[in-house]
Amino acid sequence: NLVAIFFLFWLFFETIYLWIFIRRFSMANLPVHPQYFTLPNKGEWPMQPHFIRIREWLRENGYEQIEALKANLAEDLHLRAFVFEDDKGLVRIQVAFTVVGQAANQVLFTLSSITESGKRMVTDNAFLPRAGFLPDKWELRRFPLMRSLAALEKRHKKTMKKSNHVLAAWTENVLDEMQEQHGAIEKTNVEKGILFPRTHREENGTYTQEGRYKIWKQIIFLNYLGFCR
């Protein structure tokens, strides 16, 4: 079958390209998580009409902005994140824009809730490989093909209802809580052998061989199946 043979050749050459890319990415010694800082005056929301509609939906559904953050990724590339909370403090929504120059060109949603037992329930639509492991009390559900915030919120609330956990209101500062969780995720993945310890990264890169394999596998799943596992 010529189609099957062509696909196998394509997958072979794509694998070579991805391995080279992943190795270079690992050796670049970039931080595992973006380093955010707080923006003054609640930040500047992108002015494109479809992004303005997202903010209007949040207001109409009882979400209030509580934080605006920025993380510089490269000279002309940064993330701008706006965090909203519902009136009961049970759901936080992070709306993160990738900004090239002065223009936002992509948006990602992350919805988070915590339970009285300390379990963290997260729903997002990131089209990115997760690569490593999550701390024990994390439960992440990722829907990279779901671009509607309303649909994602519905899915998040459905998950919370099915879990039978008692939810707790958010009390911690957004930036402090984010940095704490980033540290916990990094620690977990060093212990699991996905990341090299920071003292070894200059020589070996950020990701171990197992970590690079997981990134490759999840990129393949995302590209061809629309989800990662």
Side-chain angles (χ1 to χ4, degrees), residues 90-111:
L90 299 178
V91 180
R92 280 183 177 176
I93 298 180
Q94 176 182 287
V95 182
F97 298 96
T98 56
V99 181
V100 181
Q102 297 297 318
N105 62 3
Q106 188 177 21
V107 61
L108 300 173
F109 306 121
T110 303
L111 294 85

PDB file of all heavy atoms in Angstrom, residues 90-111:
ATOM      1  N   LEU A  90     -14.733  30.080  43.519  1.00  0.00           N
ATOM      2  CA  LEU A  90     -14.511  28.641  43.341  1.00  0.00           C
ATOM      3  C   LEU A  90     -13.805  28.300  42.031  1.00  0.00           C
ATOM      4  O   LEU A  90     -13.202  27.228  41.919  1.00  0.00           O
ATOM      5  CB  LEU A  90     -15.845  27.892  43.394  1.00  0.00           C
ATOM      6  CG  LEU A  90     -16.642  28.018  44.700  1.00  0.00           C
ATOM      7  CD1 LEU A  90     -17.951  27.258  44.580  1.00  0.00           C
ATOM      8  CD2 LEU A  90     -15.821  27.504  45.872  1.00  0.00           C
ATOM      9  N   VAL A  91     -13.900  29.172  41.053  1.00  0.00           N
ATOM     10  CA  VAL A  91     -13.279  28.914  39.751  1.00  0.00           C
ATOM     11  C   VAL A  91     -12.422  30.113  39.360  1.00  0.00           C
ATOM     12  O   VAL A  91     -12.906  31.253  39.368  1.00  0.00           O
ATOM     13  CB  VAL A  91     -14.330  28.662  38.653  1.00  0.00           C
ATOM     14  CG1 VAL A  91     -13.642  28.407  37.303  1.00  0.00           C
ATOM     15  CG2 VAL A  91     -15.220  27.485  39.011  1.00  0.00           C
ATOM     16  N   ARG A  92     -11.179  29.836  39.023  1.00  0.00           N
ATOM     17  CA  ARG A  92     -10.308  30.856  38.449  1.00  0.00           C
ATOM     18  C   ARG A  92     -10.074  30.525  36.977  1.00  0.00           C
ATOM     19  O   ARG A  92      -9.809  29.372  36.635  1.00  0.00           O
ATOM     20  CB  ARG A  92      -8.965  30.930  39.173  1.00  0.00           C
ATOM     21  CG  ARG A  92      -9.029  31.720  40.470  1.00  0.00           C
ATOM     22  CD  ARG A  92      -7.668  31.848  41.137  1.00  0.00           C
ATOM     23  NE  ARG A  92      -7.755  32.678  42.339  1.00  0.00           N
ATOM     24  CZ  ARG A  92      -6.742  32.909  43.171  1.00  0.00           C
ATOM     25  NH1 ARG A  92      -5.553  32.359  42.927  1.00  0.00           N
ATOM     26  NH2 ARG A  92      -6.903  33.676  44.220  1.00  0.00           N
ATOM     27  N   ILE A  93     -10.178  31.540  36.137  1.00  0.00           N
ATOM     28  CA  ILE A  93      -9.928  31.383  34.709  1.00  0.00           C
ATOM     29  C   ILE A  93      -8.740  32.250  34.314  1.00  0.00           C
ATOM     30  O   ILE A  93      -8.769  33.468  34.532  1.00  0.00           O
ATOM     31  CB  ILE A  93     -11.160  31.764  33.863  1.00  0.00           C
ATOM     32  CG1 ILE A  93     -12.341  30.848  34.176  1.00  0.00           C
ATOM     33  CG2 ILE A  93     -10.821  31.696  32.372  1.00  0.00           C
ATOM     34  CD1 ILE A  93     -13.598  31.174  33.381  1.00  0.00           C
ATOM     35  N   GLN A  94      -7.721  31.605  33.767  1.00  0.00           N
ATOM     36  CA  GLN A  94      -6.597  32.354  33.227  1.00  0.00           C
ATOM     37  C   GLN A  94      -6.740  32.428  31.708  1.00  0.00           C
ATOM     38  O   GLN A  94      -6.866  31.402  31.037  1.00  0.00           O
ATOM     39  CB  GLN A  94      -5.267  31.690  33.581  1.00  0.00           C
ATOM     40  CG  GLN A  94      -4.065  32.398  32.954  1.00  0.00           C
ATOM     41  CD  GLN A  94      -2.752  31.706  33.258  1.00  0.00           C
ATOM     42  OE1 GLN A  94      -2.259  31.776  34.376  1.00  0.00           O
ATOM     43  NE2 GLN A  94      -2.197  31.013  32.272  1.00  0.00           N
ATOM     44  N   VAL A  95      -6.727  33.641  31.192  1.00  0.00           N
ATOM     45  CA  VAL A  95      -6.772  33.874  29.747  1.00  0.00           C
ATOM     46  C   VAL A  95      -5.381  34.368  29.350  1.00  0.00           C
ATOM     47  O   VAL A  95      -4.994  35.471  29.709  1.00  0.00           O
ATOM     48  CB  VAL A  95      -7.854  34.909  29.378  1.00  0.00           C
ATOM     49  CG1 VAL A  95      -7.919  35.097  27.868  1.00  0.00           C
ATOM     50  CG2 VAL A  95      -9.203  34.499  29.928  1.00  0.00           C
ATOM     51  N   ALA A  96      -4.648  33.542  28.630  1.00  0.00           N
ATOM     52  CA  ALA A  96      -3.254  33.854  28.297  1.00  0.00           C
ATOM     53  C   ALA A  96      -3.112  34.098  26.801  1.00  0.00           C
ATOM     54  O   ALA A  96      -3.495  33.245  25.987  1.00  0.00           O
ATOM     55  CB  ALA A  96      -2.330  32.725  28.740  1.00  0.00           C
ATOM     56  N   PHE A  97      -2.570  35.259  26.446  1.00  0.00           N
ATOM     57  CA  PHE A  97      -2.347  35.612  25.046  1.00  0.00           C
ATOM     58  C   PHE A  97      -0.855  35.501  24.724  1.00  0.00           C
ATOM     59  O   PHE A  97      -0.015  35.943  25.516  1.00  0.00           O
ATOM     60  CB  PHE A  97      -2.794  37.049  24.774  1.00  0.00           C
ATOM     61  CG  PHE A  97      -4.246  37.298  25.009  1.00  0.00           C
ATOM     62  CD1 PHE A  97      -4.689  37.828  26.220  1.00  0.00           C
ATOM     63  CD2 PHE A  97      -5.180  37.007  24.034  1.00  0.00           C
ATOM     64  CE1 PHE A  97      -6.030  38.076  26.444  1.00  0.00           C
ATOM     65  CE2 PHE A  97      -6.531  37.251  24.251  1.00  0.00           C
ATOM     66  CZ  PHE A  97      -6.955  37.778  25.454  1.00  0.00           C
ATOM     67  N   THR A  98      -0.535  34.917  23.582  1.00  0.00           N
ATOM     68  CA  THR A  98       0.822  35.020  23.070  1.00  0.00           C
ATOM     69  C   THR A  98       0.884  36.296  22.236  1.00  0.00           C
ATOM     70  O   THR A  98       0.059  36.515  21.347  1.00  0.00           O
ATOM     71  CB  THR A  98       1.199  33.809  22.206  1.00  0.00           C
ATOM     72  OG1 THR A  98       0.249  33.666  21.136  1.00  0.00           O
ATOM     73  CG2 THR A  98       1.199  32.537  23.042  1.00  0.00           C
ATOM     74  N   VAL A  99       1.868  37.134  22.538  1.00  0.00           N
ATOM     75  CA  VAL A  99       1.975  38.449  21.897  1.00  0.00           C
ATOM     76  C   VAL A  99       3.294  38.526  21.143  1.00  0.00           C
ATOM     77  O   VAL A  99       4.365  38.356  21.727  1.00  0.00           O
ATOM     78  CB  VAL A  99       1.884  39.583  22.938  1.00  0.00           C
ATOM     79  CG1 VAL A  99       1.977  40.951  22.258  1.00  0.00           C
ATOM     80  CG2 VAL A  99       0.591  39.474  23.733  1.00  0.00           C
ATOM     81  N   VAL A 100       3.209  38.764  19.840  1.00  0.00           N
ATOM     82  CA  VAL A 100       4.386  38.937  18.989  1.00  0.00           C
ATOM     83  C   VAL A 100       4.462  40.407  18.620  1.00  0.00           C
ATOM     84  O   VAL A 100       3.554  40.938  17.969  1.00  0.00           O
ATOM     85  CB  VAL A 100       4.302  38.069  17.717  1.00  0.00           C
ATOM     86  CG1 VAL A 100       5.548  38.258  16.873  1.00  0.00           C
ATOM     87  CG2 VAL A 100       4.124  36.599  18.094  1.00  0.00           C
ATOM     88  N   GLY A 101       5.543  41.068  19.037  1.00  0.00           N
ATOM     89  CA  GLY A 101       5.616  42.519  18.861  1.00  0.00           C
ATOM     90  C   GLY A 101       4.587  43.179  19.750  1.00  0.00           C
ATOM     91  O   GLY A 101       4.648  43.086  20.970  1.00  0.00           O
ATOM     92  N   GLN A 102       3.574  43.811  19.133  1.00  0.00           N
ATOM     93  CA  GLN A 102       2.495  44.437  19.893  1.00  0.00           C
ATOM     94  C   GLN A 102       1.154  43.745  19.690  1.00  0.00           C
ATOM     95  O   GLN A 102       0.148  44.158  20.259  1.00  0.00           O
ATOM     96  CB  GLN A 102       2.372  45.911  19.477  1.00  0.00           C
ATOM     97  CG  GLN A 102       3.601  46.746  19.779  1.00  0.00           C
ATOM     98  CD  GLN A 102       3.894  46.828  21.264  1.00  0.00           C
ATOM     99  OE1 GLN A 102       2.986  46.981  22.083  1.00  0.00           O
ATOM    100  NE2 GLN A 102       5.159  46.730  21.620  1.00  0.00           N
ATOM    101  N   ALA A 103       1.138  42.690  18.871  1.00  0.00           N
ATOM    102  CA  ALA A 103      -0.137  42.077  18.499  1.00  0.00           C
ATOM    103  C   ALA A 103      -0.313  40.696  19.124  1.00  0.00           C
ATOM    104  O   ALA A 103       0.572  39.840  19.022  1.00  0.00           O
ATOM    105  CB  ALA A 103      -0.239  41.968  16.974  1.00  0.00           C
ATOM    106  N   ALA A 104      -1.456  40.489  19.762  1.00  0.00           N
ATOM    107  CA  ALA A 104      -1.799  39.167  20.293  1.00  0.00           C
ATOM    108  C   ALA A 104      -2.304  38.298  19.144  1.00  0.00           C
ATOM    109  O   ALA A 104      -3.108  38.743  18.326  1.00  0.00           O
ATOM    110  CB  ALA A 104      -2.868  39.289  21.368  1.00  0.00           C
ATOM    111  N   ASN A 105      -1.808  37.057  19.065  1.00  0.00           N
ATOM    112  CA  ASN A 105      -2.223  36.218  17.931  1.00  0.00           C
ATOM    113  C   ASN A 105      -2.777  34.859  18.335  1.00  0.00           C
ATOM    114  O   ASN A 105      -3.198  34.091  17.491  1.00  0.00           O
ATOM    115  CB  ASN A 105      -1.065  36.020  16.951  1.00  0.00           C
ATOM    116  CG  ASN A 105       0.117  35.311  17.578  1.00  0.00           C
ATOM    117  OD1 ASN A 105       0.070  34.912  18.745  1.00  0.00           O
ATOM    118  ND2 ASN A 105       1.173  35.144  16.820  1.00  0.00           N
ATOM    119  N   GLN A 106      -2.770  34.543  19.626  1.00  0.00           N
ATOM    120  CA  GLN A 106      -3.325  33.260  20.066  1.00  0.00           C
ATOM    121  C   GLN A 106      -3.750  33.390  21.521  1.00  0.00           C
ATOM    122  O   GLN A 106      -3.159  34.151  22.292  1.00  0.00           O
ATOM    123  CB  GLN A 106      -2.290  32.143  19.927  1.00  0.00           C
ATOM    124  CG  GLN A 106      -2.855  30.749  20.172  1.00  0.00           C
ATOM    125  CD  GLN A 106      -1.804  29.670  19.955  1.00  0.00           C
ATOM    126  OE1 GLN A 106      -0.611  29.926  19.999  1.00  0.00           O
ATOM    127  NE2 GLN A 106      -2.255  28.454  19.716  1.00  0.00           N
ATOM    128  N   VAL A 107      -4.791  32.641  21.897  1.00  0.00           N
ATOM    129  CA  VAL A 107      -5.273  32.695  23.271  1.00  0.00           C
ATOM    130  C   VAL A 107      -5.448  31.271  23.797  1.00  0.00           C
ATOM    131  O   VAL A 107      -5.894  30.374  23.078  1.00  0.00           O
ATOM    132  CB  VAL A 107      -6.605  33.488  23.365  1.00  0.00           C
ATOM    133  CG1 VAL A 107      -7.702  32.840  22.528  1.00  0.00           C
ATOM    134  CG2 VAL A 107      -7.048  33.629  24.811  1.00  0.00           C
ATOM    135  N   LEU A 108      -5.076  31.080  25.057  1.00  0.00           N
ATOM    136  CA  LEU A 108      -5.222  29.792  25.736  1.00  0.00           C
ATOM    137  C   LEU A 108      -5.987  30.018  27.036  1.00  0.00           C
ATOM    138  O   LEU A 108      -5.777  31.013  27.732  1.00  0.00           O
ATOM    139  CB  LEU A 108      -3.849  29.182  26.043  1.00  0.00           C
ATOM    140  CG  LEU A 108      -2.942  28.903  24.848  1.00  0.00           C
ATOM    141  CD1 LEU A 108      -1.566  28.465  25.326  1.00  0.00           C
ATOM    142  CD2 LEU A 108      -3.557  27.838  23.952  1.00  0.00           C
ATOM    143  N   PHE A 109      -6.851  29.056  27.382  1.00  0.00           N
ATOM    144  CA  PHE A 109      -7.662  29.157  28.591  1.00  0.00           C
ATOM    145  C   PHE A 109      -7.265  28.065  29.584  1.00  0.00           C
ATOM    146  O   PHE A 109      -7.067  26.912  29.198  1.00  0.00           O
ATOM    147  CB  PHE A 109      -9.150  28.992  28.258  1.00  0.00           C
ATOM    148  CG  PHE A 109      -9.655  29.920  27.199  1.00  0.00           C
ATOM    149  CD1 PHE A 109     -10.217  29.417  26.027  1.00  0.00           C
ATOM    150  CD2 PHE A 109      -9.587  31.294  27.359  1.00  0.00           C
ATOM    151  CE1 PHE A 109     -10.695  30.263  25.039  1.00  0.00           C
ATOM    152  CE2 PHE A 109     -10.064  32.155  26.383  1.00  0.00           C
ATOM    153  CZ  PHE A 109     -10.614  31.644  25.214  1.00  0.00           C
ATOM    154  N   THR A 110      -7.190  28.453  30.858  1.00  0.00           N
ATOM    155  CA  THR A 110      -6.959  27.490  31.937  1.00  0.00           C
ATOM    156  C   THR A 110      -7.946  27.760  33.054  1.00  0.00           C
ATOM    157  O   THR A 110      -7.995  28.872  33.588  1.00  0.00           O
ATOM    158  CB  THR A 110      -5.529  27.600  32.492  1.00  0.00           C
ATOM    159  OG1 THR A 110      -4.579  27.420  31.438  1.00  0.00           O
ATOM    160  CG2 THR A 110      -5.288  26.550  33.569  1.00  0.00           C
ATOM    161  N   LEU A 111      -8.746  26.762  33.403  1.00  0.00           N
ATOM    162  CA  LEU A 111      -9.721  26.882  34.487  1.00  0.00           C
ATOM    163  C   LEU A 111      -9.258  26.020  35.651  1.00  0.00           C
ATOM    164  O   LEU A 111      -8.904  24.854  35.459  1.00  0.00           O
ATOM    165  CB  LEU A 111     -11.108  26.430  34.022  1.00  0.00           C
ATOM    166  CG  LEU A 111     -11.773  27.300  32.949  1.00  0.00           C
ATOM    167  CD1 LEU A 111     -11.313  26.909  31.555  1.00  0.00           C
ATOM    168  CD2 LEU A 111     -13.294  27.217  33.042  1.00  0.00           C
TER     169      LEU A 111
END
